[in-house]
Amino acid sequence: MTKQEALFNYCLRLGDNSLILGHRLSEWSSKAPIIEEDLALTNMALDLIGRSVALLKYAAEAEGKGHSEDDLAYRRPERKFYNNLLVEQPNGDFAVTIVRQFFNSTFEFLLYEELTKSKDATIAGIAAKTIKEIKYHLRHATDWMLRLGDGTPESHLRVQNALNDLWMFSDELFEMNEVDEILIKEGIAVDLTTLKTNWEKRINEVILEATLIVPTSTFMQTGSRQGIHSEYLGYIIAEMQYLQRAYPDAKW
Amino acid sequence: MLTEKEIFDILSEIPDPEIPVITIKDLGILQRVEVTGNTCEIFITPTYSGCPAMKMIEDQIQEALAPYQITTIKVNLIYSPAWTTDWISDEAKEKLRIYGIAPPEHSSLDKGALTGKAKELKCPLCNSKNTEMISQFGSTACKALYRCKDCKEPFDYFKCI
């Protein structure tokens, strides 16, 4: 694998994570429990989709085949998507969405803070922009973890169930392959193993303060680094790509 | 062909699509203009990564320059240096306040975004400091929603980033 191929794959991974989570959050539009949350979740969806535009555009540049960011979003098959399994999981009830946000925003906060120091100026620039937004996302998720966990017996139960259910997708966030190896040597990518301790520490603190229990299950589901996904991604892609597949190059 | 400064001055008049009382220059979205031969490149910075107004701003730029017979007009989005509320001029902040949007209070990055410390905000309508946040996320990505406990009016606050 060349450095350029690694950069292409790395930007796809970063871009796909924000594109797919952005799509998931946009599904809350007009359906959130209260109007403030409708605005919050869709505002964050916008941040994420905006970030994915920048990252997929850069991925297309690294690929060098004349593709646009839209080609990469709308014409790529499922097996060529590299987002973490966590972000493609269904919204579930509000507690599931919040736990997914909480795991992911804590991870992104640590990741993008490091990426601001990347030797790749474009990635560092996008990271500097996006870290400001991630801070808002993380605060939103943390507030809700505390409120739901330390809320009513019903909200406590639901957020604990969501923690237990999504826990098996947490290890994959830190999984690395050849792509990471090549780019870490170049000072472009972040060594994900160095983020894990800090992630666990932050997660544990909030979970305990929310009077919840940190899951202890050690079974972890992974696969996205090879483009192997859970059953849910195919449906997202079918919906997202429908128009461009049915009417190629359609514009309005 | 117009000079870079002339083009910049023309574009400086374009109002922000969401907050028409201030211009894209006041907000710090319009960065610079580069002219090479018959090609004009305009560099703009989004306030938030996903700001949906960027397409509209691009269209407004094309429209504003349409009468000047420039062969190629390219509008480029740049992310670095990242946009900050520090770029909003004091004069523009005052215009925001009169328009009913509380301008960003502190300079630079809002450290309270992580710790959740509430800050004291003045109601843009009655100047009371007796206000509270309703939601961190408001009518657009760049605003939060507050309410005044004295005059009872809700208002937007331009978030510091």
Side-chain angles (χ1 to χ4, degrees):
Chain A
M1 187 182 276
T2 66
K3 180 191 153 192
Q4 212 56 20
E5 284 164 349
L7 184 63
F8 173 54
N9 190 288
Y10 194 69
C11 291
L12 282 182
R13 193 199 296 169
L14 293 174
D16 289 347
N17 272 320
S18 44
L19 177 65
I20 298 301
L21 186 60
H23 187 89
R24 272 288 184 232
L25 289 179
S26 75
E27 292 171 355
W28 275 109
S29 180
S30 82
K31 292 180 198 156
I34 48 173
I35 194 164
E36 287 80 4
E37 280 312 300
D38 211 295
L39 283 169
L41 295 168
T42 49
N43 259 234
M44 290 189 279
L46 261 182
D47 288 345
L48 287 159
I49 290 166
R51 190 204 304 166
S52 72
V53 172
L55 286 164
L56 292 182
K57 196 175 199 166
Y58 191 47
E61 265 179 59
E63 186 193 24
K65 289 187 182 164
H67 288 142
S68 71
E69 63 274 25
D70 285 341
D71 294 332
L72 292 177
Y74 296 125
R75 304 275 173 88
R76 240 183 325 145
E78 182 193 357
R79 285 291 302 269
K80 295 266 168 67
F81 271 75
Y82 298 104
N83 58 277
N84 292 314
L85 300 179
L86 175 70
V87 300
E88 72 201 33
Q89 296 310 304
N91 286 338
D93 59 15
F94 187 64
V96 171
T97 292
I98 290 302
V99 171
R100 194 183 60 201
Q101 282 302 101
F102 173 58
F103 284 175
N104 191 65
S105 299
T106 309
F107 170 69
E108 284 189 340
F109 175 68
L110 299 169
L111 172 67
Y112 277 88
E113 195 156 71
E114 287 303 310
L115 282 178
T116 60
K117 298 174 223 154
S118 172
K119 282 193 182 150
D120 183 299
T122 306
I123 292 181
I126 295 170
K129 173 94 206 139
T130 211
I131 191 79
K132 297 182 179 199
E133 294 158 7
I134 291 169
K135 285 180 185 176
Y136 278 99
H137 302 182
L138 179 56
R139 176 173 167 192
H140 172 264
T142 305
D143 280 354
W144 274 110
M145 285 300 292
L146 299 175
R147 195 163 156 190
L148 294 175
D150 200 9
T152 65
E154 178 71 17
S155 70
H156 178 91
L157 179 71
R158 284 185 184 230
V159 77
Q160 184 66 57
N161 285 344
L163 273 176
N164 299 346
D165 289 347
L166 292 176
W167 187 248
M168 68 168 165
F169 302 111
S170 61
D171 230 28
E172 191 189 43
L173 302 175
F174 307 96
E175 199 176 283
M176 299 205 287
N177 59 13
E178 197 192 346
V179 172
D180 300 78
E181 264 172 49
I182 294 170
L183 296 181
I184 289 169
K185 271 188 213 140
E186 301 282 340
I188 294 172
V190 175
D191 183 347
L192 296 175
T193 51
T194 61
L195 305 181
K196 200 174 177 192
T197 321
N198 216 342
W199 184 84
E200 280 171 348
K201 188 170 158 268
R202 285 170 170 271
I203 292 277
N204 287 357
E205 276 171 14
V206 176
I207 292 177
L208 294 180
E209 198 187 332
T211 72
L212 295 158
I213 296 161
V214 182
T216 49
S217 162
T218 52
F219 171 75
M220 290 292 164
Q221 182 70 52
T222 72
S224 77
R225 298 289 183 269
Q226 293 83 46
I228 299 168
H229 291 274
S230 61
E231 67 197 88
Y232 303 110
L233 185 66
Y235 290 99
I236 298 179
I237 290 189
E239 190 188 7
M240 199 172 72
Q241 297 186 339
Y242 164 74
L243 196 95
Q244 283 300 320
R245 297 272 188 196
Y247 306 95
D249 300 323
K251 281 190 166 50
W252 70 87
Chain B
M1 184 70 178
L2 299 171
T3 66
E4 288 175 359
K5 186 174 180 310
E6 282 166 336
I7 294 174
F8 191 90
D9 288 345
I10 293 166
L11 301 180
S12 298
E13 301 295 314
I14 297 177
D16 178 78
E18 295 278 3
I19 314 161
V21 288
I22 51 176
T23 69
I24 57 172
K25 179 182 164 260
D26 289 337
L27 260 178
I29 291 173
L30 179 62
Q31 291 289 307
R32 62 177 195 277
V33 173
E34 283 174 17
V35 172
T36 346
N38 259 334
T39 303
C40 169
E41 281 196 88
I42 295 120
F43 295 85
I44 54 174
T45 301
T47 54
Y48 278 71
S49 307
C51 180
M54 296 317 283
K55 178 75 185 100
M56 174 98 179
I57 292 172
E58 200 182 317
D59 292 347
Q60 285 175 316
I61 289 174
Q62 295 280 0
E63 204 176 302
L65 296 179
Y68 299 98
Q69 283 142 7
I70 302 166
T71 323
T72 319
I73 302 165
K74 270 178 74 183
V75 182
N76 299 317
L77 270 189
I78 49 169
Y79 295 91
S80 182
W83 183 85
T84 159
T85 30
D86 297 353
W87 292 350
I88 304 177
S89 65
D90 285 342
E91 193 194 337
K93 282 182 186 168
E94 183 56 19
K95 285 187 202 162
L96 279 176
R97 198 189 57 73
I98 294 167
Y99 188 59
I101 298 171
E105 276 284 329
H106 307 279
S107 72
S108 201
L109 191 54
D110 183 1
K111 294 194 177 63
L114 267 188
T115 54
K117 258 194 202 150
K119 54 179 131 238
E120 210 174 56
L121 265 193
K122 254 203 255 173
C123 169
L125 303 162
C126 73
N127 278 328
S128 160
K129 282 188 176 172
N130 190 16
T131 60
E132 66 176 354
M133 186 173 73
I134 303 173
S135 171
Q136 192 68 245
F137 297 86
S139 56
T140 66
C142 52
K143 286 177 256 155
L145 193 60
Y146 274 73
R147 106 177 107 213
C148 175
K149 291 196 266 190
D150 285 337
C151 75
K152 314 288 184 205
E153 286 290 336
F155 64 92
D156 272 333
Y157 166 58
F158 212 111
K159 293 194 280 218
C160 292
I161 65 164

